Amino acid sequence: MNPVIEDWLAANLDQVIALRREIHASPELSMAETKTTATVVRVLTEAGLAPTVLPKGTGVVCDLGPIDAPRIGLRADLDGLPVPEQTGLPFASRNEGVSHSCGHDAHAAILMGVGMLLNEIHKAGDLKVGVRLLFQAAEEVMPGGALDAIDAGVTDGLSRIFALHCDPHLKVGTVGLRPGPLTSAADRVEVHLHGPGGHSSRPHLTSDLVYAMGAIITGLPGILSRRVDPRSGTVMAWGAVHSGNAPNAIPQEGRMRGTVRTGDHETWQLLEPLVRSVIGEIAAPLGVACDITYFRGVPPVVNDVDSVQMLRHAVAGIGPDAEVDTPQSPGGEDFAWYLEKVPGAMARLGVWSGTGPMCDLHQPNFDIDERALGVGIATLAGVVLGA
């Protein structure tokens, strides 16, 4: 490990852990991260930096380093999830029904640590590139708070941008790297069906709305698998289906909601018209009317090859076994919006202790091995120092 980073961590990692626990105990939902935003502003200000709150009142941007050099962006997210915490930790969530079960508390603490470390290096005259710290609101909602941050100009003047995401399937001390697609595009589709209704003994005299729903439920995923290149990693799944109350009455309306995901950017552009067309084709002969609402979510994160190589050099400085492969995830991540503007890459940060169960992201008992905070700081600071 770079001796400057190693010495800083030896003296300051306890402070970073305390910051992570402070944020963990007070999780806030998307676009309501006011206390978390205030914590970031306080910490960076005390470190001698000049943070700015983003225009919508949550999220922070802060530049440091030389102003006449290329500027690298480093991004963390701030929001929690509407998931009750069941970890039993002494610093567990004090906000009922809300938790940091996706590790954003760790992301924020890591980036604050990186900012403090790099600012010390800058004051010593040893920072060769500019840095922009971005603490983003509302990653957990589609299409994501990244768009608000971009509208506020956070990508202006950046040469590259990097981020980490906790991965409970990787052991602490490791960082997962992957050039090319890392996450998937994630869209949402809602279907509202209408029919005349009727008696269940005489479905031939009406339009059997529930039968039509069943046809769409099974037909849409199946037909998509025959209309889309299987190498794109496209998957459609329903999450909510509601219709009727009486067992002997065919209902007049029903509602269905689901997600459509793909790992291929070109396929993502084609999905909305294709989904609308297929649903219409299935419903038409069954005599029901469909109102379709399609919400485009986020594109896939596609890691720039050169940016991954920069991460690779940084991770190599952590240790010979620190770098590991990581598969493409079907999950969505709004970091992808930044990569529509500037090249960059996201890495997976191992947070599993190596013993006991691997609690998945978004589970009530999700937690991290806090040794990962130092690994995260070394990774992002290493990218900047190696640029």
Side-chain angles (χ1 to χ4, degrees):
M1 185 182 293
N2 182 308
V4 175
I5 298 175
E6 191 170 18
D7 290 347
W8 190 91
L9 288 174
N12 296 279
L13 185 56
D14 285 347
Q15 180 186 0
V16 176
I17 292 172
L19 287 171
R20 180 255 167 171
R21 295 181 178 186
E22 177 183 345
I23 294 171
H24 185 93
S26 300
E28 297 168 297
L29 294 177
S30 303
M31 298 308 299
E33 309 96 332
T34 53
K35 184 174 181 179
T36 310
T37 294
T39 297
V40 172
V41 169
R42 183 196 82 228
V43 171
L44 296 183
T45 301
E46 290 174 351
L49 294 165
T52 300
V53 177
L54 291 173
K56 291 195 173 181
T58 58
V60 178
V61 63
C62 181
D63 285 356
L64 64 96
I67 61 174
D68 56 350
R71 188 166 300 278
I72 293 175
L74 304 175
R75 175 269 207 172
D77 31 22
L78 300 179
D79 50 333
L81 282 162
V83 174
E85 181 166 347
Q86 297 175 3
T87 62
L89 293 168
F91 51 90
S93 171
R94 296 191 294 265
N95 296 341
E96 186 175 354
V98 185
S99 68
H100 272 298
S101 52
C102 202
H104 293 187
D105 53 335
H107 301 168
I110 287 168
L111 192 55
M112 283 187 283
V114 171
M116 290 186 283
L117 166 58
L118 293 179
N119 195 43
E120 288 189 11
I121 295 173
H122 172 56
K123 287 188 290 186
D126 296 328
L127 192 61
K128 307 304 181 185
V129 298
V131 178
R132 178 166 296 155
L133 309 175
L134 171 59
F135 299 83
Q136 179 210 304
E139 188 277 330
E140 294 291 357
V141 294
M142 292 194 297
L147 291 176
D148 291 330
I150 291 169
D151 288 343
V154 301
T155 56
D156 296 348
L158 293 185
S159 60
R160 296 184 186 275
I161 189 167
F162 296 91
L164 297 173
H165 199 294
C166 291
D167 189 334
H169 300 287
L170 297 179
K171 189 175 179 180
V172 65
T174 64
V175 180
L177 301 181
R178 178 186 176 88
L182 180 72
T183 68
S184 297
D187 296 347
R188 189 170 84 247
V189 61
E190 297 185 0
V191 185
H192 186 192
L193 295 90
H194 311 268
H199 200 291
S200 63
S201 67
R202 292 181 287 276
H204 60 292
L205 299 181
T206 187
S207 298
D208 192 339
L209 185 132
V210 173
Y211 183 87
M213 292 177 71
I216 295 171
I217 289 169
T218 58
L220 178 60
I223 293 173
L224 284 180
S225 73
R226 295 302 184 270
R227 297 275 189 93
V228 174
D229 189 330
R231 293 171 296 181
S232 68
T234 302
V235 61
M236 193 278 151
W238 299 101
V241 179
H242 303 282
S243 183
N245 292 296
N248 60 344
I250 294 172
Q252 292 180 299
E253 66 173 346
R255 295 180 182 272
M256 308 155 61
R257 293 186 294 162
T259 59
V260 189
R261 303 172 186 270
T262 184
D264 181 72
H265 201 285
E266 291 184 6
T267 301
W268 183 56
Q269 304 291 345
L270 304 173
L271 279 177
E272 179 175 357
L274 180 57
V275 167
R276 289 181 179 276
S277 174
V278 170
I279 292 174
E281 292 168 9
I282 296 172
L286 300 176
V288 298
C290 293
D291 297 324
I292 302 167
T293 305
Y294 194 99
F295 300 89
R296 277 172 62 85
V298 295
V301 168
V302 181
N303 283 340
D304 169 66
V305 173
D306 292 338
S307 299
V308 172
Q309 191 62 26
M310 293 173 67
L311 280 167
R312 182 164 286 124
H313 286 309
V315 174
I318 296 170
D321 300 318
E323 181 188 338
V324 295
D325 292 331
T326 187
Q328 183 178 0
S329 166
E333 164 61 66
D334 78 348
F335 183 71
W337 290 120
Y338 301 111
L339 301 184
E340 299 278 294
K341 300 292 184 180
V342 294
M346 171 176 277
R348 300 290 191 191
L349 178 65
V351 298
W352 177 51
S353 67
T355 60
M358 294 180 178
C359 299
D360 205 3
L361 299 171
H362 293 209
Q363 288 185 330
N365 56 348
F366 171 79
D367 190 22
I368 70 164
D369 185 319
E370 291 179 323
R371 292 176 295 173
L373 300 175
V375 178
I377 291 171
T379 301
L380 293 182
V383 165
V384 172
L385 297 181

